[in-house]
């Protein structure tokens, strides 16, 4: 649920609605609907992305690691698209081939895209802050992600995450 905390957010959400997304992907919520979705008294309207979800970074990373061949201390020199996947050239080691490529390189994304032969694209790096609270707390009954400039998740394995991006330089 994306809260319209100010006119800027309302304008941004209205632009999203004008793009013609189907209602089951994005729709407006009035204050009563916000209260119903969040179990909180609501003073704001909002928009909901019903098909969105939460990724548990720890569980997702563990899942990917179980599926992946891990080569420690490898330096990638090139990534080439081939039929059915990718060829990853490594410094001083044989190249490997993969049918999928998952790039998780943080501030190194532009360098990695260049290795993939892709022209650098706009990549915004921001450093953020995250707070982790053990549930139950006063907001433990919430069953949806709230986005209000920052964000708050519902309890995930007994923990709630609150976050905000605030440094657009990423330094």
């Amino acid at each position: 649920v994306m809260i319209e905390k100010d006119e800027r957010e309302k304008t941004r959400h209205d632009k999203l609605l004008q793009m013609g997304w189907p209602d089951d992907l994005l729709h407006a919520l009035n204050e009563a609907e916000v209260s119903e979705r969040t179990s909180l008294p609501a003073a704001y309207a909002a928009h909901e992305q019903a098909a969105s979800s939460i990724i548990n970074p720890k569980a997702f990373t563990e899942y990917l690691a179980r599926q992946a061949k891990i080569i420690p201390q490898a330096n990638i020199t090139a990534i080439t698209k081939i039929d059915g996947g990718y060829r990853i050239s490594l410094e001083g080691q044989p190249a490997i081939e993969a049918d999928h490529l998952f790039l998780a390189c943080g501030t190194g994304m532009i360098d990695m895209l260049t290795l993939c032969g892709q022209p650098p694209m706009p990549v915004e790096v921001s450093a953020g802050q995250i707070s982790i609270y053990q549930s139950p707390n006063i907001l433990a009954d919430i069953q949806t992600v709230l986005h209000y400039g920052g964000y708050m998740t519902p309890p995930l394995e007994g923990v709630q995450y609150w976050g905000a991006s605030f440094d657009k330089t990423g330094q």
Side-chain angles (χ1 to χ4, degrees):
V1 174
M2 301 181 301
I3 303 293
E4 291 180 357
K5 64 182 171 55
D6 55 31
E7 194 60 35
R8 181 174 162 251
E9 289 295 309
K10 181 180 180 345
T11 299
R12 188 169 82 71
H13 297 165
D14 287 345
K15 284 181 184 177
L16 285 171
L17 282 176
Q18 292 168 7
M19 295 174 99
W21 294 99
D23 283 347
D24 59 338
L25 292 181
L26 177 72
H27 57 273
L29 299 175
N30 62 36
E31 292 175 13
E33 292 167 321
V34 172
S35 290
E36 180 183 315
R37 301 284 197 294
T38 63
S39 304
L40 299 169
Y44 301 106
H47 286 78
E48 181 176 52
Q49 293 174 297
S52 66
S53 189
I54 302 169
I55 294 174
N56 179 324
K58 182 177 185 283
F60 185 59
T61 302
E62 289 170 353
Y63 170 79
L64 290 175
R66 285 193 305 270
Q67 307 294 317
K69 178 179 180 181
I70 298 173
I71 305 171
Q73 304 298 317
N75 291 321
I76 299 172
T77 58
I79 300 172
T80 308
K81 180 85 171 123
I82 59 173
D83 283 341
Y86 301 88
R87 176 172 293 118
I88 299 107
S89 300
L90 304 171
E91 184 179 292
Q93 299 184 48
I96 57 174
E97 292 184 2
D99 55 353
H100 292 85
L101 189 58
F102 180 79
L103 300 175
C105 41
T107 60
M109 182 60 80
I110 292 173
D111 293 337
M112 191 60 65
L113 289 171
T114 301
L115 284 176
C116 292
Q118 299 295 317
M121 56 193 256
V123 174
E124 183 177 288
V125 176
S126 65
Q129 172 182 323
I130 188 166
S131 299
I132 302 170
Y133 295 97
Q134 295 295 318
S135 294
N137 66 47
I138 60 171
L139 297 173
D141 291 337
I142 189 166
Q143 296 300 308
T144 187
V145 172
L146 283 182
H147 178 271
Y148 49 87
Y151 66 88
M152 180 185 76
T153 70
L156 300 168
E157 299 176 359
V159 175
Q160 279 181 293
Y161 299 88
W162 295 41
S165 293
F166 57 88
D167 179 0
K168 296 296 183 188
T169 66
Q171 304 298 317

